[in-house]
Amino acid sequence: MAVANYGSTNVAVLLGNGDGTFQTAVDYSSLAGTWALTVGDFNGDGRPDLAVSNAESANVSVLLNTCISAGVQLGAVRTNSVVTIFWPFPSTGFVLESTTNLGSTSWQSAGETVLTNNNRLEVTVPFDQAQRYIRLRKT
């Protein structure tokens, strides 16, 4: 279950236990004025992702459901010109890569600098290409 925490800067996700009860909520950052959300597979990987409307910042945050199998939960917040991707600190053995074609097998180093911020690692990626896909890969 995903809950838009109205007027906040986050959404809560509660995983089901399979018996009608839920685990403790985990909050994920979005932008100011969280208003509503929807679930969909926005990156085509077969996993449900979240799109969150942000009333105060007049944009949408897309939170991708990735890296669960590697034990790292990846988050993303988008504005009109950049996307900030973040994951827990410390997380070692990961590389940030990009490509312009999801069907490509030649992913390259994304080139952006990874920073430590608020007990998490994050990178801000500009939308400097018409089509660019980013992934965090376990090495």
Side-chain angles (χ1 to χ4, degrees), residues 50-66:
L50 297 176
V52 183
S53 65
N54 305 300
E56 290 178 29
S57 49
N59 60 26
V60 173
S61 299
V62 176
L63 306 176
L64 298 176
N65 179 4
T66 60

Side-chain angles (χ1 to χ4, degrees), residues 47-106:
R47 297 180 186 156
D49 305 308
L50 297 176
V52 183
S53 65
N54 305 300
E56 290 178 29
S57 49
N59 60 26
V60 173
S61 299
V62 176
L63 306 176
L64 298 176
N65 179 4
T66 60
C67 294
I68 300 303
S69 61
V72 174
Q73 294 180 347
L74 183 68
V77 177
R78 180 181 188 260
T79 67
N80 290 334
S81 60
V82 300
V83 64
T84 300
I85 303 167
F86 53 91
W87 59 98
F89 176 80
S91 295
T92 58
F94 291 90
V95 61
L96 189 69
E97 298 174 324
S98 71
T99 187
T100 57
N101 180 351
L102 272 180
S104 173
T105 57
S106 62

Side-chain angles (χ1 to χ4, degrees), residues 74-75 84-92 94 114-123 136:
L74 183 68
T84 300
I85 303 167
F86 53 91
W87 59 98
F89 176 80
S91 295
T92 58
F94 291 90
V114 177
L115 303 172
T116 303
N117 182 13
N118 242 0
N119 207 24
R120 68 183 188 192
L121 297 171
E122 70 178 35
V123 63
L136 185 66

